[in-house]
Amino acid sequence: QVQLVESGGGVVQPGGSLRLSCAASGFTFTRNDMHWVRQAPGKGLEWVAFIRHDGSNKYHADSVKGRFTISRDNSKNTLYLQMNSLRAEDTAVYYCAKAMNRDGYSYFDYWGQGTLVTVSS
Amino acid sequence: QSALTQEASVSGTVGQKVTLSCTGNSNNIGSYAVGWYQQISHGAPKTVMFGNSLPSGIPDRFSGSKSGTTASLTISGLQPEDEADYYCSTWDYSLSAWVFGGGTKLTVL
């Protein structure tokens, strides 16, 4: 069965950095696009970043552009999110999600359990 | 403010049919299919609809549709376990971003 396990969350000071990881199993990671999605406390879901299956194309939300970078290591079946210059408003649970393409459209398919990032002094 | 607009809350009784809506524009819903995601008690989201197709394991009381720039998720025969927050999402080509609705809190009375 598909499993996505996030790690790397924690408490960091404003301006600090953190790298999140998402270990994938139960599907062919090298053939699937992936996303990061976050949810601030008491708020809704917010898409953060996307990466193609081979790393050839990446998109980042405007709110994190220039500060966050999505990447992947297909040899390790792992997705990453490097987060720099963190702000209080980046405080959220971060989910990795497997993308699914059907009939030419892209959806979020399976989701991990999430890892909490708290930006606070 | 979310790019997609959803009702803040919807309620229904067990066995009732309820419809959740998601309104966007020609840059997103008007051009792309919509996914629907269920989140129970702020746990991990779960996908309940790909456009108008059901993921495996999702009961067929869930159905999806779209007309113009509005997508809908209908639950026929509401069950207590359907109580959750529901989010819609799609690609927006003018933003080059995936966008979500603000979410609808579904209460089963």
Side-chain angles (χ1 to χ4, degrees):
Chain A
Q1 71 281 22
V2 173
Q3 277 201 307
L4 298 168
V5 180
E6 301 94 336
S7 61
V11 180
V12 60
Q13 292 188 335
S17 298
L18 215 53
R19 188 177 82 156
L20 305 183
S21 300
C22 171
S25 61
F27 65 100
T28 308
F29 183 71
T30 56
R31 291 162 69 176
N32 282 269
D33 305 337
M34 297 292 295
H35 294 272
W36 286 100
V37 176
R38 68 184 180 183
Q39 185 170 37
K43 302 295 185 182
L45 300 175
E46 178 190 15
W47 171 76
V48 173
F50 163 89
I51 187 168
R52 291 278 289 173
H53 61 95
D54 57 1
S56 61
N57 206 359
K58 305 176 185 181
Y59 294 98
H60 296 82
D62 284 346
S63 58
V64 306
K65 207 169 286 184
R67 301 187 298 123
F68 291 11
T69 302
I70 190 172
S71 64
R72 63 193 296 159
D73 186 337
N74 282 350
S75 69
K76 296 182 179 179
N77 284 2
T78 302
L79 176 72
Y80 301 102
L81 185 68
Q82 178 65 45
M83 304 187 296
N84 299 330
S85 302
L86 282 160
R87 306 166 180 167
E89 55 264 35
D90 296 318
T91 294
V93 174
Y94 285 74
Y95 297 100
C96 69
K98 172 181 171 293
M100 202 272 286
N101 298 319
R102 176 177 289 190
D103 300 330
Y105 299 109
S106 180
Y107 307 92
F108 303 97
D109 188 3
Y110 287 93
W111 302 69
Q113 290 299 309
T115 187
L116 176 62
V117 172
T118 302
V119 184
S120 173
S121 54
Chain B
Q1 188 155 350
S2 304
L4 307 179
T5 301
Q6 298 183 249
E7 302 95 341
S9 62
V10 168
S11 62
T13 57
V14 173
Q16 189 177 6
K17 181 170 83 171
V18 296
T19 298
L20 282 56
S21 69
C22 174
T23 300
N25 59 39
S26 58
N27 298 326
N28 43 62
I29 293 178
S31 300
Y32 298 92
V34 174
W36 289 89
Y37 309 96
Q38 177 193 65
Q39 188 178 39
I40 298 174
S41 301
H42 275 277
K46 179 180 181 181
T47 303
V48 295
M49 192 63 56
F50 300 124
N52 57 8
S53 299
L54 277 173
S56 63
I58 301 302
D60 61 5
R61 63 177 181 274
F62 288 84
S63 63
S65 64
K66 189 179 81 166
S67 177
T69 58
T70 298
S72 299
L73 178 71
T74 298
I75 308 173
S76 303
L78 199 59
Q79 297 298 306
E81 59 265 31
D82 299 332
E83 183 163 291
D85 294 324
Y86 289 85
Y87 295 90
C88 58
S89 179
T90 189
W91 171 253
D92 187 303
Y93 69 78
S94 70
L95 298 174
S96 292
W98 275 265
V99 291
F100 280 95
T104 295
K105 182 177 182 59
L106 175 62
T107 301
V108 180
L109 302 171

